[in-house]
Every structure is written in structure tokens, then in C-alpha cells.
Amino acid sequence: MIEVLLVRTSLSPPASRTTPRPLAAMLLAVAVAAVGLGPAASPAAAATLPAGAGSYTDSRPAGTSGPTTDTGAPVTPKLTTAARSKPVPTNDWWSSLAFQRYGGNPYSTPMYGHPLTYQAKASGLEVGYPTTPAIVGDGRQYEYAHKADLTVGLSGLNSPDTKADAWSDWTVTPYWADGSRTFRATIGHGMPFVYAKGSGGDARITTASTPTVFSDQGNVLGITVAGHHYALFAPTGSDWNVSGTAITAGLGGKDYFSLAVLPSPDALATYRKYAFSFVTGSQVAWQSTGGTVKATYSLTTEAKEGTERSTLQALYRHQWLHTTDALTPYTYVSPRGTMKVRESASFTTSQKNNGVVPALPASSGVDRARLTGYLNEVANAADPFSGATDTYWTGKALGRLAQLVPVADQIGQTATRDKLLGLMKGRLQEWFTAGGPSEFSYDKEWKTLTGYPASYGSDTELNDHHFHYSYYVYAAAIIAQYDQAWAADPAWGTMVKHLIRDTANPSRTDSAYPFLRGFDVYAGHSWASGHQGFAAGNNQESSSESINLSAGLVLWGAATGDNALRDLGSYLLTTESEAITQYWFDANQQVFPASFGHDTVGMVWGSGGAYSTWWTANPEEIHGINVLPVTGGSLHLAREKAAIKRNIAEMERENGGPAQEWRDLLWEFESLSDPAAAKAKWDGVNGNYTPEQGESRAHTYHWLSTLASVGAPDVAVSGDLPTSAVFSKDGTRTYTAHNHGSTARTVTFSDGKTLSVPARSTATSTGPGGTDPGPGEPGEPSTGNTFRLKSGGVLTTSTTDPAGADTIASADGVNRDGTPYRPNVYEIKKVNGKVAAGAATAFRLRVDAGTKVGLAPQVRVSYDLTGDGTFDRAETFRYFATDPVDGWEEYTQASGVKAVTGNLGELSNGTVRLEIWNALGNGTSQVQTGTDAAVLRIPYV
């Protein structure tokens, strides 16, 4: 079985798990046993280390194993001496440099940096730029597989291995040494450059085929290989020599050179400017304030020649959609859609905070007697943990109980609430105490904490720690909400923090655990494999279990007064939410190749994505695995309601009908876009079904009944407290927030609504919103600062209007660039607000010219500050050149500003107007309305 799976290089053997059904789980266990788990650990030298009231060990339990190769041999990190003092971040896009999972390969497997791909070999670093997708696996997977265009190294280099020498938030430096030569190459996400340093030989580039030289400027050489354009940069005074597929340059006593992949040959002059501004580090900084999450991504550089310290970096789609920083016209192809290039060493993104609530708000739609019966089913079960023994299934059971605690509390079932809390405490304390049947053990080599009994390679491959431990952190957060003493450091809080440090450590100086082990801050999501030992790169299947950890951090930080951890959770959740929206669900239909016949993927790979799971091809699980567990941290999924509807429709097509096995999960998912339809499906079976193993009838009934009553989440509005949320039905919003603090506070929402929340309580209110925050108080305009386009020429804060499309008139063959011609006009009046420092107008529109050639939708946004009919400020943006292919395309402010007149000032009963027209061509186009992809955001608070 394993030998057959190993042949499938793009899907490979199960290194990362999700939630297999019992039979699949048993088969997986047999498969793992077949390859062996290596020698049993000796418990003789084990020490028990105290952690508050709990403890863990520094040696594995007898009969268990830690990280191994594929043959079962123990393996230690593959690092240089200089790197050994720093915890290595396993579960990264480049982890195979450090984790030699496959013993016959001491270098690396393909690593997907985007736009470039890499693979280490004896002679140096293979570099590729895949631009054409392949559809494989019976049409179930798309991939931009690594294929070397060239190899960069030194003449004569023949290293026996490659080690990780240095790393930062999204860059890494591999190291080669063969006794005569040493070579390093710094690479990273979004980096079009490879920065090389070496000694003992000349710079050498070996191309996969004979290159075409398009520019020869001595130490700067432009070449084309396999249709891709590269620039090679040697120190000033050097000269590149081309002989067949070998290109060499003496370094003239220097030790550096670089290369870059170019968007086009005419970009060479721009890229040459930054050829010797070597990147030495990368770092993200985040903050969550006032309902907004901002993140700044910065590179540090060293000028090898001259004084230039800036650089070029390519932004992923989830980044450029949320930045107002200037971008160049340069773009790259990637498995995540178009990457856009910024000419700077940093950029900042800004998103509304995706709130997390302990439970949905109380509503009249819930029959309390019926809910009480369902709660008793769980609380009084003979085994509430369903026989779970390993880290994953124990976590699932803890999560199931944790969801019911605030629900029981909400309807006054305090005895049931306390019984559930007692069950959770007892099981967590068992795991948090060394020496029993379940415990955590610390691996000093790999700087990681592993729970035993382990599961799905969490021990031998360091997989999925963020999945497994998410449930423990979330459950502990719910306990902390009701029992702060239990969560204190002298009690059980220290052990909870060990799990957090293992999976989502915010510290870069902690010597015991790496910074954010599995979360790739630049890719915007986590990776599940601890070794990244696949031809397709690393992978993540259950993005929703990664979100579960972030939601747990928000709740744990809020409940324990650790605002830094709370805000870390907000940053991780908000960032990964957009990555899920774009890369798992392709909500804007701009990422998946046109030839890939699916609207969602179950797994994202470094090279692409797959409509599959690790254990089954059943469509219900493929669609459901990125939904579970459904919690108060799942509300972010409601942002793209049209994508949810497409997702459910595809599942039913592929499934040959509605869900049967995971129907509860998929009902809950559907309820985020259409609560009435989802509730009708529940009513159709009247509770007569088998819940998914992490779900319960009590939770599903409460979830569906509540949303049917208060409406779907309204993610266009956010609160200035991370533990808040808004729902909308028939024009009425329901606002809810939980205050974990010891004093009452007022929560202000982005539509101006305010909500007073008592200490350690949940508060709920309904209304249309629009409360004026008052003089000198923080808040947003009375109508909000984010508006949707609504057919009929309206800008609105409503999220309940139907999706549609308006026709944009033809330019009639005349160049209308910069001058509105028969524009579609969308307007909102009586807007109040103050200018937000550092903010800028932003918009996100979907346009389509069909098969027409040469159309160019263009936008102007105007501000009448006092509503007197005179527009004081007008901003005209560059037009968007549409393609002649049917399908929506994304038009944003990233196209750049063409002209500005007037100045911004305070809006007092002002008017905001957006005009869109066709600047070129001879045909009509369309613009979407009524969706989250038809949005204008103004720079006001």
C-alpha cells in the first residue's frame, strides 16, 4: 500500500491527516506500521518537568518514536553549526532543507517560494518559474510543478548535502560545502531575486537548455530560458561568459552575485537597480485596533555595491487586495493567481477584524426545552469522549464539549454547563500531567512538544500540531471564561501556553520553540507537513482547524487578559481567512486555472491545489474538511456568500444529491449564506441523523435555529472588540459581544452602533445601526466607511441586497481616458467622518468585457464634504485593461491613481460618489453589484 502511494509524487503518502472515518483510520494505522516507527525510546533517562500544576517529560514514553526518516531511522535537524542555537520552524515551505524525511535525498525536495521554485542538489540550487498549469489526478488536481530553468552555484561545487544556515519570517538561506567550496543562496516568498554568496570558485549558472542572450552588459547578462527571462548580476568589473548551457563569471575577489526572474526583458533596468541590495531578513509586524487588523511586511537588506537598500517584492493576491501601497505594472504567474510587484522593502495590509464569539447570541428562534434535551444527550453519555485516546481524537471530543458550555449557560442550564466544564478539566489535566496514559513530551533536538499517544504523524513527521492542539487551546479558553483560577499560570495555564508556544509562538527569541511554527506569514496560511517532503511542496488540508487555533488564541487571550495573544489570534485568523477565501474556495474565481473543473479544493499544495482529502474522495468530506469544527471562529466564512452557495452546489453535484454523512457540518456552512435553507434541511430530518464526530445535535440545532432567527453574519461591519460579531436579517442587524474583562465596556461597531457590555458577560442588541459615537470619540462614519455597489446607482452598507450586474456603456471608439463618458454613477449621501491618517481610497470591483477586445473600465471617486452639491475632491484611477475572455476580472485601486483634484476634509452630511465608465473600445462591459466584490472603502473614521 505504501509503495503504491509513494509513486504518486504529487499527493504522496499520508503525511498530513484530517478526520478519517473509522475504517480509513484503521487502514492508515496499518500503513504506518508497515514502514516501521524506529527504535523505542528508552524511558530510563526521562525527567519530569513541572509546568504550573501540570508537567511534561523531556523523553518520549516507552515504545514510541520521534521524528524519523521514511525507513524509520531517527533523524535530527539538518542545520549548520551557526543555525543550531535557533529553533527550526518545521512545517514551513522550505522544511525539507532541515528535515531529511527521505533518506536517499540529503538536499531538499522542491520548494515553492513563488514566483520562483527551488530544489537543492549537489551542484547548487535549481531555480524555476512555472507558468503553465498541468491538470493531473483525473482532473482533481492542478499544479505548477517545479521544473528547473537553471542551476545556480559555483564552478566545481559538489556538496554531499545541503543544510539550513539561516532563516527569518519568510526567507531561508541553504548552505553547501564540499571541502573546497562553500555556497549560500538566500531565497524567499515573493522574492524575484536569488542572492548568492560563495567562496572557492567562480559564479556558475547552468541552464536547462541553451539560453538566448537578450542583453550583455559585462557584469549584467539578460537571458531567456524555456520562455522565461532572467538577469544575472556579477560584481562590478566581472564579465559573464556563455558557453553552451554553462555561464560563468569570476568574482574578482568578491563573494557575491545574484540573479532575478524578470516579468519581461524591458524590466531589466529596473531590476538592475536592486541587484546588489541583498536581502538579509524578513519580518512581519501586526496590530489589531479599533476593529481593524494591520500588518506590515518588511525586508532588511545590505548594500553589496552602492547605497541602494530598497528592493522588489511580489505580493500574493490576499495581500494586494488589502493594500493601498503603490504597486508597479509588473506581475508574475503563481499557483495563487497573479502576483503584483511593489518597489519597496515593505508594504502594509489592512483588513476588518474577523470577530470570534464564544457562542452565537441568544435568540427567540431556539426552543429551550428541545435544546436542553440535546444537551443532556451529550452531558449524560456513557463516554462523552467516544473512546478517544490520541491527541487528535481527544481534541475533537474536547471541542465538541467546549461548544456546548456557553450554549448551556445561555439558556440557564448551569448544572449541565458545570458538568461539561468538569469533564473538560478532567481530561485536559490528565494530558497535562506526565506519567499517565496520556502526556506531552519535549524533544530537545527539534524543539517541539508532542502529545502521546500521537496520531497521523504528529510524532514521526511533526505533522498537524496546530490542528491537534487547536482543540486543547480552544477548550482551555472556554474553561478560562468561567474559571480564571484554573487557567492561571500556577495552575494549568502554563501547560496551555506550552501548546501555544509549540504551535503559534509569537516570540522570535524563545530558545525552546520556533516563531509561529506552522503559520507562513507571507503565504497567509499554515502548512501541515512537518518535513515538506513532497514533489508538490508542503500542503494543508483542513484550513478550518488552523483557524480553530487562531480563534482559540483570541478567546484564551481575552479570557486571561493577555491582549498580545488575543491580537496575535486576530492577525492569524484575519490573514488566513482571506487566504482560504482565495486559495481554497477561489471566491473571486481568479485563482484556479480555467482548465481545473472545480470551484473548491480540499487541499492546497505549494504547487497548486487538489479536489481531494488524504483519506477519501467523498465530496462531502472534500467540502466539509475546510469547515470543521464549526465554532464562533467560523463566522469569517460568511464574507463570500456567493462562494458558499457555489460550494454547496458543487458538493451536491459531485455527491449525486444532498449530504448524508457530514450533513450537519454542511448545513452549518450553508447557514452562513442562507440560514433559512439550511434550517429547512434540519427540519426535514427533525434531528434524526448521526452527528459528525466533532459535532452534536445540541450545537447544530442551536447554530441553525439562531441564524435562522437573527440572520447570516454581516462581515461588512466589525466591532472594536475582537470578541464581537454582527448578524443581519431583513434589514435588521443583531450586534453581540462578550466582555471577558472585570469592568463594563462599550463596544463600537464600524457602522456607528454602540453596545454596552457588562463585565464577564455577553450583550446583544438589535437595530439598523448608525449611532453617532459623539464628539471626540473614536468610531466610523454614521453610514460606515465600506460601501457596496447596488444596482440603481446606490452605494450602501447593506449586505442583504441581491447580487447582480450593471452594464457599462461603450466608449464609442473614442479615447475617454480620464474623462467620464456615460458613466454608471453610484452614490451615498449624509455621510459623516474624519479623515483617517495614512489611509487612502480603495475599491474592489469585478468587471467583464466578455470577448470584446480593448475595453478599459475606469473609476473616479468624488467627495462632496458638506453635501452642498459641489465635489471638493476627485480621484481618478488608471483604467483596467480587460481581457477578451468571458469571466469576471478584478479591478482595484492597485491599478494606480491617474489624477487628483482638491483635498480631503471632514465629511459632514457629505456625499460620496463612484463613477465607472469604459475609457476605450467599442463595446459594453459589466460590473458586479450586491456582492463583497463590489466594494468602495473610503479613508475615513
Side-chain angles (χ1 to χ4, degrees), residues 284-576:
V284 65
W286 61 85
Q287 61 177 357
S288 175
T289 56
T292 298
V293 175
K294 291 186 177 181
T296 298
Y297 300 83
S298 302
L299 296 172
T300 55
T301 63
E302 174 188 4
K304 290 294 185 181
E305 294 186 7
T307 59
E308 182 61 63
R309 296 292 299 274
S310 192
T311 188
L312 296 159
Q313 49 188 327
L315 279 64
Y316 282 116
R317 180 177 179 80
H318 75 275
Q319 296 168 325
W320 57 255
L321 281 173
H322 296 286
T323 188
T324 56
D325 292 342
L327 303 175
T328 71
Y330 301 131
T331 62
Y332 290 105
V333 174
S334 88
R336 310 292 179 254
T338 300
M339 300 182 79
K340 298 188 177 184
V341 176
R342 174 158 166 76
E343 194 170 1
S344 175
S346 70
F347 64 91
T348 298
T349 61
S350 179
Q351 294 175 256
K352 284 189 179 295
N353 192 351
N354 288 294
V356 178
V357 291
L360 297 185
S363 78
S364 60
V366 173
D367 182 328
R368 296 192 173 203
R370 187 175 189 183
L371 179 56
T372 298
Y374 289 145
L375 286 166
N376 289 336
E377 281 183 8
V378 178
N380 299 329
D383 179 7
F385 291 91
S386 305
T389 58
D390 64 37
T391 48
Y392 181 71
W393 291 101
T394 297
K396 289 269 288 185
L398 285 166
R400 181 162 51 91
L401 300 180
Q403 296 312 310
L404 300 184
V405 169
V407 169
D409 186 56
Q410 188 179 93
I411 64 171
Q413 294 294 320
T414 55
T416 300
R417 175 200 69 190
D418 293 344
K419 184 173 184 178
L420 295 169
L421 285 168
L423 289 168
M424 292 159 59
K425 289 178 183 178
R427 187 54 60 96
L428 283 172
Q429 289 166 201
E430 175 189 317
W431 275 89
F432 289 170
T433 305
S438 321
E439 67 179 17
F440 286 94
S441 295
Y442 182 75
D443 187 310
K444 294 186 290 290
E445 289 284 350
W446 287 97
K447 306 296 175 66
T448 187
L449 194 70
T450 303
Y452 293 92
S455 46
Y456 308 110
S458 61
D459 50 353
T460 57
E461 301 179 19
L462 301 184
N463 297 336
D464 301 353
H465 284 203
H466 62 312
F467 291 167
H468 296 206
Y469 302 170
S470 73
Y471 294 100
Y472 293 72
V473 174
Y474 199 111
I478 294 297
I479 294 172
Q481 180 177 327
Y482 296 91
D483 187 347
Q484 289 191 311
W486 184 93
D489 287 351
W492 302 98
T494 298
M495 279 301 297
V496 177
K497 290 180 180 178
H498 270 288
L499 268 61
I500 292 172
R501 289 165 65 198
D502 181 71
T503 54
N505 189 7
S507 172
R508 296 181 181 85
T509 59
D510 188 339
S511 62
Y513 298 99
F515 172 70
L516 296 180
R517 179 186 303 280
F519 192 84
D520 187 327
V521 296
Y522 204 89
H525 59 81
S526 297
W527 296 111
S529 169
H531 56 76
Q532 186 261 313
F534 308 108
N538 212 323
N539 73 91
Q540 179 159 267
E541 182 182 56
S542 183
S543 60
S544 47
E545 286 179 307
S546 181
I547 287 286
N548 194 45
L549 175 61
S550 303
L553 291 174
V554 172
L555 294 178
W556 172 263
T560 61
D562 190 335
N563 290 345
L565 274 182
R566 181 199 66 185
D567 293 347
L568 168 64
S570 292
Y571 162 67
L572 298 177
L573 192 156
T574 301
T575 304
E576 191 153 24

Side-chain angles (χ1 to χ4, degrees), residues 481-796:
Q481 180 177 327
Y482 296 91
D483 187 347
Q484 289 191 311
W486 184 93
D489 287 351
W492 302 98
T494 298
M495 279 301 297
V496 177
K497 290 180 180 178
H498 270 288
L499 268 61
I500 292 172
R501 289 165 65 198
D502 181 71
T503 54
N505 189 7
S507 172
R508 296 181 181 85
T509 59
D510 188 339
S511 62
Y513 298 99
F515 172 70
L516 296 180
R517 179 186 303 280
F519 192 84
D520 187 327
V521 296
Y522 204 89
H525 59 81
S526 297
W527 296 111
S529 169
H531 56 76
Q532 186 261 313
F534 308 108
N538 212 323
N539 73 91
Q540 179 159 267
E541 182 182 56
S542 183
S543 60
S544 47
E545 286 179 307
S546 181
I547 287 286
N548 194 45
L549 175 61
S550 303
L553 291 174
V554 172
L555 294 178
W556 172 263
T560 61
D562 190 335
N563 290 345
L565 274 182
R566 181 199 66 185
D567 293 347
L568 168 64
S570 292
Y571 162 67
L572 298 177
L573 192 156
T574 301
T575 304
E576 191 153 24
S577 172
E578 186 62 60
I580 293 166
T581 295
Q582 299 299 331
Y583 311 141
W584 273 260
F585 297 154
D586 194 16
N588 303 147
Q589 298 179 295
Q590 294 291 310
V591 173
F592 298 169
S595 52
F596 181 61
H598 295 282
D599 289 327
T600 190
V601 294
M603 307 171 71
V604 161
W605 285 87
S607 65
Y611 187 77
S612 62
T613 73
W614 277 112
W615 81 97
T616 182
N618 185 351
E620 294 186 32
E621 280 87 342
I622 292 172
H623 289 257
I625 194 55
N626 286 292
V627 175
L628 64 81
V630 176
T631 75
S634 303
L635 305 180
H636 73 99
L637 292 170
R639 188 170 65 251
E640 297 283 354
K641 294 178 174 59
I644 294 176
K645 293 176 181 178
R646 286 200 309 271
N647 193 303
I648 296 295
E650 180 182 22
M651 184 279 297
E652 293 185 348
R653 287 195 308 270
E654 295 285 333
N655 204 43
Q660 298 298 317
E661 292 181 71
W662 280 9
R663 61 181 77 181
D664 45 0
L665 288 171
L666 293 165
W667 293 335
E668 291 170 310
F669 183 41
E670 185 175 13
S671 71
L672 296 172
S673 66
D674 192 341
K679 180 59 161 53
K681 291 178 179 178
W682 162 277
D683 291 339
V685 300
N686 198 32
N688 295 318
Y689 67 96
T690 301
E692 187 269 334
Q693 287 178 272
E695 263 295 339
S696 64
R697 263 180 284 269
H699 180 254
T700 303
Y701 172 71
H702 180 267
W703 183 275
L704 297 176
S705 299
T706 300
L707 292 185
S709 177
V710 303
D714 187 345
V715 296
V717 183
S718 63
D720 63 1
L721 183 68
T723 51
S724 62
V726 182
F727 307 84
S728 182
K729 180 179 181 182
D730 299 331
T732 297
R733 284 177 173 155
T734 297
Y735 303 81
T736 189
H738 185 85
N739 176 14
H740 290 86
S742 57
T743 58
R745 66 158 294 163
T746 297
V747 178
T748 301
F749 292 87
S750 59
D751 63 354
K753 177 72 174 182
T754 57
L755 179 65
S756 180
V757 192
R760 308 200 190 288
S761 300
T762 296
T764 301
S765 177
T766 60
T771 302
D772 189 343
E777 293 181 14
E780 294 197 26
S782 58
T783 45
N785 66 356
T786 301
F787 312 108
R788 285 188 179 189
L789 276 64
K790 180 180 178 180
S791 291
V794 174
L795 293 174
T796 176

Side-chain angles (χ1 to χ4, degrees), residues 138-226:
D138 297 325
R140 300 170 72 88
Q141 180 166 350
Y142 77 89
E143 59 181 13
Y144 292 77
H146 168 71
K147 183 179 180 181
D149 288 337
L150 51 85
T151 301
V152 56
L154 301 176
S155 55
L157 180 64
N158 185 24
S159 178
D161 60 21
T162 308
K163 298 180 173 71
D165 182 57
W167 53 85
S168 55
D169 288 8
W170 62 88
T171 66
V172 65
T173 302
Y175 172 85
W176 294 256
D178 63 6
S180 301
R181 288 157 287 265
T182 64
F183 179 65
R184 292 173 174 85
T186 297
I187 55 179
H189 280 315
M191 285 171 46
F193 283 94
V194 175
Y195 303 97
K197 294 183 68 176
S199 64
D202 294 340
R204 179 182 176 92
I205 309 294
T206 306
T207 56
S209 58
T210 302
T212 299
V213 176
F214 65 81
S215 178
D216 188 346
Q217 304 172 42
N219 70 317
V220 178
L221 188 71
I223 62 172
T224 300
V225 183

Side-chain angles (χ1 to χ4, degrees), residues 811-821 854 856 858 879 898 917-922:
D812 294 336
V814 176
N815 187 331
R816 314 285 183 178
D817 184 13
T819 304
Y821 175 72
Q858 190 166 25
Y879 62 67
K898 177 180 176 64
W917 69 97
N918 280 320
L920 302 174
N922 203 348

